[in-house]
Structures are given as C-alpha cells and as structure tokens.
Amino acid sequence: MEEVLLSLRHISKNFGEGDVLADVSLDVHKGEFVTLLGASGCGKTTTLRIVSGLETPDTGEVILSGQDMTDWPPERRPVNTVFQSYALFPHMNVEKNVAYGLKVRGVDKKTQAARVKEMLELVQMSEYAKRMPAQLSGGQRQRIAIARALAPQPQLLLLDEPLGALDLQLRRQMQIELKRLQKKLGITFIYITHDQEEAINMSDRIAVMRGGKFEQLGTPEEIYDHPATRYVAQFIGRSALLEGTVRSVSGGLAVIENENGRFTVGGAQARLTAGERCEVCVRTERMRAGRAPVEGFDLPATVRETRYAGGSVLTYAVLSDGTEVVAEGEERMSDAPQAGETVYMHWNPAQASVIGGASHGA
C-alpha cells in the first residue's frame, strides 16, 4: 500500500456566505501528482490555502506525515507554494531569490550555494544566476519560482495555477517540464487548475471540484472515460449526453431507445438491466456519422455544418428532438456530408460510458 503523505479529514470552511468547502476528505500518497480541477469559486484555492496553513478550517483535520498540522502556522509546515504571479523578489537576482528560503531556515552559506547551483541546473537556468527578475521572460520567471520552492526540499509542493499567465505553447512545454521534475525528485505535488487538458496531461489523479465538494476523484482515464456525474461529463472534454430506456441486454451489449432512435453501449461494464433509465456519455472524438445505419444503431440526425479541424472533419448534426451532436471523422472535406443531409450516428459500444455506472472507477 502506498504511503499516505497528506490526509484532509472532513474539512469545511465558511466565510459567511455559505460553505466554500463542505466536508471534504482526501488522501494524497507520497510522490503523487494530484490536481484539484474546477471552475472559479469551486473551493480549490481554499483547499490549497488550508493545506499551506494560510487558512484554518472551521471543522476537520490536516494530517501531514502522520502529524496533525491543522493549527500549525505556515512557517512550521514542510510545504512550499508556487503561485501564478511567481512572487519573485524584484530587488534580488535569480540566485538570491532561489536561496531565500534556505537563508530563512538558517542553512549555512556553503550549503546554500550548492543547493542553489543544483536547483538552477535542474530547471536549466544556470546561466541566468545573476539576472534580475525583470530581465527574464514569463517562462524563465516561472522556472525560478519553482526552483525557489524546491530548494528547501519540502515534503509537499503546492502549485496554484502556476502556468496560467503563460501563452499556450509555453504552457504546454512547462507542463512537460513540471511533470519531469516531479517524477525525478519524487516530491508530492498538489496542483490547481481550471484547465482540463492540463489536468489530464499531468496528473496521477484528478479531483474534480464543484460547490465546495468533490464530484469525482480518479485517474485521468477514469475521469475522462467513466464520468461519475453529468457535471463531470460536461466539464471534461466534449461529449454527447443521451438519455434513454434499456430495451435489452445480451452478449455484454445493452440496446437503449429514446425519442431519437436506438443505440448500443457496453452493457456488461455498466451493469444495465432491461427497463432501466440511464444516461450515456459519448466523447466527440469517438462519435461517428455515416450515411447508412450501423448494426445496433438507428440514430438519424440532420447535418448543420461540417468543419475542417486539422487532420479530421467535425460534423455538427441535430437529432430529432433538437439535441446537437458532433462527430469526428478522418474523411476529406470533399467527402464529408453536407448541410441538410441525413446521417446516422454511431460509435464503438465499448467506448460509450453510462454516467455514474459501475465502471466509473470511484
């Protein structure tokens, strides 16, 4: 069993206008990369501030390395934070910024110098040691902020949307570098973001938050392929959500029917039974649009438009009840269905997920 480094036990927090956190519990294992993912106001930053000691919960406990640190001040906790704003000292050069945490902790100068050198090499910023923060790009400042946070060798590193101020290309590059650093050092990361792609690319586990609670906690694959709630299905990726009644279950497949027609899902994994109502999530990249029905499917739709998406074609179509669905295909634009044409939606039944079904991995 993996060693639990951090336990949040029944954490609640109210700032006078309703619960920001409502009975939140979470175990984070040593060496794990856990992301708190959610829209603004969901409680993810408050959770991070409680872990760091910048906020005290109204109820609950913060256990780190087996010790109850709920009431400990930030400076006593073996935790560091990297902020989106970088928070570098503008009057200090790079090496002094990186050395700051070590100096505050009373580390001798020789050890400071060796550690700063090691950290700058780690983030590939050795040649910038004498530069001032104002002379660095956004990505370079972010590397220095990370080096400074890692220098005191914290047990836990908290990252509060650290890449949010970077442009898309640099943000993706830094995602790779951060994950590489985390695995190399073996330090436990708790990461905050509202960017679902970032969370999926970097995390060992993701906690999707909404209204001060966890909607779902699982691996990126579990969150994406088997959403536990409609909110998770809609918040993560692009999907079609289809409700219906199970008509039959046979050979591991369930046939579902609604006012739009008939479709099939992997019934064995979802443990569906005939007569049951259910809701199915099909990811856009797994949805297909054909000019004729496919066995197990009779789901006609009217094409609104097709768009070229760089290597694939997206077909936007409308089911008979007005529900819009989007299918992705590899055909050329010249072969794609045209506006007004009738197409038949289908997918690999094993790649559809029953929302909240037994396969969601909770």
Side-chain angles (χ1 to χ4, degrees), residues 8 10-15 18-24 36 41-48 50 57-59 209 211-214:
L8 301 181
H10 304 291
I11 299 291
S12 295
K13 185 66 180 180
N14 188 309
F15 290 108
D19 287 336
V20 177
L21 293 175
D23 195 27
V24 168
L36 307 183
C42 69
K44 55 188 187 294
T45 295
T46 300
T47 303
L48 213 68
I50 286 173
D58 297 331
T59 61
M209 296 190 71
K213 296 181 179 180
F214 293 147

Side-chain angles (χ1 to χ4, degrees), residues 21-217:
L21 293 175
D23 195 27
V24 168
S25 294
L26 173 68
D27 282 345
V28 178
H29 300 106
K30 189 173 182 179
E32 192 175 24
F33 193 126
V34 172
T35 295
L36 307 183
L37 173 66
S40 297
C42 69
K44 55 188 187 294
T45 295
T46 300
T47 303
L48 213 68
R49 288 175 63 83
I50 286 173
V51 174
S52 69
L54 295 173
E55 297 284 355
T56 302
D58 297 331
T59 61
E61 299 172 310
V62 179
I63 310 296
L64 187 62
S65 295
Q67 292 184 290
D68 186 344
M69 298 188 179
T70 311
D71 298 317
W72 286 25
E75 62 271 16
R76 287 191 61 198
R77 302 186 185 203
V79 174
N80 266 351
T81 305
V82 178
F83 299 98
Q84 181 177 340
S85 61
Y86 316 133
L88 298 178
F89 299 112
H91 61 287
M92 294 183 184
N93 65 21
V94 163
E95 63 182 1
K96 288 181 179 178
N97 262 284
V98 176
Y100 180 78
L102 300 168
K103 183 177 180 181
V104 168
R105 288 165 173 77
V107 176
D108 65 85
K109 289 186 176 181
K110 183 178 179 180
T111 304
Q112 281 185 43
R115 186 66 178 161
V116 168
K117 183 176 183 292
E118 180 186 358
M119 288 298 98
L120 291 181
E121 288 174 353
L122 189 67
V123 298
Q124 301 172 27
M125 290 290 289
S126 299
E127 62 189 280
Y128 298 91
K130 302 300 181 182
R131 296 268 186 99
M132 303 299 287
Q135 297 173 301
L136 304 175
S137 68
Q140 290 168 339
R141 289 198 296 273
Q142 188 56 272
R143 285 187 177 91
I144 298 308
I146 292 166
R148 184 179 63 182
L150 291 172
Q153 297 178 298
Q155 292 183 37
L156 178 63
L157 189 64
L158 310 177
L159 301 103
D160 190 356
E161 303 215 41
L163 309 183
L166 305 179
D167 62 55
L168 180 60
Q169 185 174 356
L170 184 54
R171 189 161 71 242
R172 286 176 172 167
Q173 179 185 337
M174 287 298 296
Q175 288 172 17
I176 295 170
E177 291 187 16
L178 261 181
K179 185 65 177 177
R180 175 183 60 82
L181 277 176
Q182 189 263 338
K183 288 301 180 187
K184 182 175 181 178
L185 297 173
I187 293 177
T188 307
F189 278 21
I190 299 181
Y191 193 94
I192 280 186
T193 185
H194 62 272
D195 186 324
Q196 52 182 277
E197 181 183 337
E198 195 165 271
I200 288 170
N201 288 343
M202 301 175 71
S203 312
D204 295 319
R205 285 191 299 153
I206 299 171
V208 181
M209 296 190 71
R210 181 190 184 201
K213 296 181 179 180
F214 293 147
E215 284 277 310
Q216 186 173 358
L217 175 64

Side-chain angles (χ1 to χ4, degrees), residues 38-39 42 208-210 215 229-236 355:
C42 69
V208 181
M209 296 190 71
R210 181 190 184 201
E215 284 277 310
T229 67
R230 169 177 269 262
Y231 177 81
V232 174
Q234 292 177 317
F235 188 72
I236 307 290
I355 295 175

